[in-house]
Amino acid sequence: MVLEKLKETLSKTRKLFAPIEQLFAGSQTQAEILDELFELLVLADLGVASSQKIIKDLKEKSKKSHQPDLMPLLKQELIDMLSSERGRASQVFPAVWLLVGINGGGKTTSAAKLAYKYQTEGKKVMLTAADTFRAAAQEQLVLWGKKLNLPVIQGQPGADPASVVYDALQSFKARNYDLLIIDTAGRLHTYAHLMAELEKIKKVISREVPGAPQEVLLVLDSTTGQNAIVQAREFNRFSGLTGVFLTKLDGTARGGSVLAIVEELKLPIKYVGLGETEKDIMEFEPEAFVEALLS
Ligand SMILES: Nc1nc2c(ncn2[C@@H]2O[C@H](COP(=O)(O)OP(=O)(O)OP(=O)(O)O)[C@@H](O)[C@H]2O)c(=O)[nH]1
Ligand SMILES: [Mg+2]
């Protein structure tokens, strides 16, 4: 079921992986196959470095295991790569989670998805919009709050986002909620003052709730490509990321970049976004992901 949904979501990416299956089914020698495989992996957005590593490992493993069929080896190799930075979302509650990322990556939608998921699991969830810059940004989150029937703490337009977070934390503590999800304004990782603002927000959270934030998730659009690495580095510097919420896997043909992201960012992908509704969220599972790509 999950697999069917993933396959459907990844249908465009799967088209890029289909030639790999054809290659393996052909009658070439293993050496010829491995040569061509490199090119196909790069074309499927795995990045040159990751593709080279895969080919090198496959050569060694196929020699050792005398395995003539490369497909199971390739699948295991991809799963191992994706599992190197494996990590489930924090199970600690009460918790404060912070969502950060550049403009339009999907932070607000992802905040709603997480709220829906944890609410469904019986948690009392509260949202806050630490985006006082755009009135529409707060309204968007308030609409989600109405739809999901959960409270949204708002600030005055133009107020210091850290002060809005402070107010939200007081309310969160006083009302004994389980999870506070903080949506932040989109910001370019190259704007120092905006990045410093995140640092300040994080300080307020740790001061008001010891041990928090339990998650600082970089919300990353899966169509971003190599720029994701640069973004992640900067966001990590200012807000200490705990993982990635990878959005818009549906509709992109660049699902293969997931592998490059894990390999190069050294950050676990905790959740993926598969559409625009609150239900389009999935925990990231390397096995299911690889099976959906190559079957
Ligand atoms: N197809 C698809 N669309 C998504 C997904 N996540 C978000 N979107 C869409 O992407 C657009 C931007 O999403 P937002 O949640 O507003 O992004 P944001 O990061 O909060 O944007 P700013 O606050 O402006 O920085 C919206 O049209 C969303 O519906 C996803 O997983 N799949
Ligand atoms: Mg937003």
Side-chain angles (χ1 to χ4, degrees):
M1 223 177 46
V2 170
L3 192 61
E4 286 313 309
K5 165 91 179 160
L6 254 185
K7 277 187 176 175
E8 193 189 308
T9 300
L10 291 169
S11 63
K12 286 194 183 148
T13 303
R14 279 165 59 82
K15 287 207 181 96
L16 284 178
F17 279 75
I20 295 178
E21 293 179 52
Q22 285 156 17
L23 173 67
F24 284 7
S27 55
Q28 288 162 290
T29 65
Q30 215 178 61
E32 288 167 340
I33 289 178
L34 285 170
D35 274 348
E36 269 186 47
L37 179 62
F38 173 73
E39 265 171 55
L40 293 178
L41 290 173
V42 173
L43 285 175
D45 260 317
L46 270 74
V48 172
S50 306
S51 303
Q52 277 169 340
K53 179 178 181 300
I54 291 170
I55 299 296
K56 183 173 155 279
D57 289 355
L58 275 185
K59 273 184 186 158
E60 284 169 14
K61 284 182 189 163
S62 65
K63 231 187 245 163
K64 254 191 225 156
S65 65
H66 305 289
Q67 164 75 272
D69 184 3
L70 285 171
M71 186 55 100
L73 293 179
L74 176 62
K75 280 187 185 170
Q76 193 53 51
E77 176 70 18
L78 297 182
I79 291 169
D80 290 348
M81 261 172 102
L82 289 171
S83 306
S84 64
E85 302 298 330
R86 195 163 197 147
R88 290 192 66 199
S90 165
Q91 312 273 328
V92 174
F93 295 97
V96 181
W97 291 10
L98 184 63
L99 301 187
V100 303
I102 67 160
N103 309 72
K107 290 174 297 300
T108 305
T109 312
S110 302
K113 288 174 179 175
L114 288 168
Y116 171 77
K117 180 183 157 46
Y118 284 90
Q119 189 183 41
T120 310
E121 291 174 12
K123 300 278 188 267
K124 281 167 73 184
V125 186
M126 188 181 268
L127 290 165
T128 188
D131 187 345
T132 49
F133 193 60
R134 282 189 312 128
Q138 302 228 23
E139 277 162 33
Q140 193 187 346
L141 199 68
V142 167
L143 281 179
W144 276 116
K146 285 203 176 115
K147 183 168 185 203
L148 304 176
N149 194 24
L150 42 84
V152 178
I153 310 294
Q154 295 184 76
Q156 293 299 318
D160 178 359
S163 76
V164 179
V165 169
Y166 177 85
D167 290 345
L169 289 164
Q170 305 316 314
S171 176
F172 172 69
K173 289 192 281 187
R175 292 162 74 180
N176 288 315
Y177 267 65
D178 301 309
L179 178 61
L180 173 66
I181 301 174
I182 303 173
D183 180 23
T184 59
R187 66 198 72 223
L188 269 177
H189 51 289
T190 44
Y191 282 43
H193 63 291
L194 290 178
M195 297 307 282
E197 186 182 280
L198 276 186
E199 216 171 4
K200 187 171 167 192
I201 290 176
K202 204 180 161 196
K203 263 191 204 141
V204 170
I205 300 171
S206 336
R207 197 182 64 214
E208 295 303 314
V209 180
Q214 282 78 7
E215 293 284 356
V216 181
L217 298 175
L218 176 67
V219 178
L220 197 61
D221 180 336
S222 55
T223 61
T224 306
Q226 288 299 310
N227 192 251
I229 317 291
V230 186
Q231 283 176 29
R233 228 171 259 143
E234 287 306 299
F235 276 100
N236 204 15
R237 205 147 68 86
F238 287 92
S239 55
L241 301 172
T242 58
V244 173
F245 190 130
L246 190 67
T247 62
K248 310 184 194 181
L249 258 190
D250 56 306
T252 181
R254 311 197 66 177
S257 63
V258 169
L259 284 130
I261 289 172
V262 176
E263 177 77 3
E264 294 187 40
L265 295 186
K266 302 289 174 218
L267 277 173
I269 294 172
K270 295 197 170 165
Y271 284 104
V272 291
L274 313 169
E276 293 187 279
T277 82
E278 72 274 15
K279 294 181 183 145
D280 298 318
I281 174 173
M282 223 181 245
E283 266 183 69
F284 182 70
E285 284 174 20
E287 289 82 0
F289 184 79
V290 170
E291 200 53 41
L293 277 187
L294 286 169
S295 65

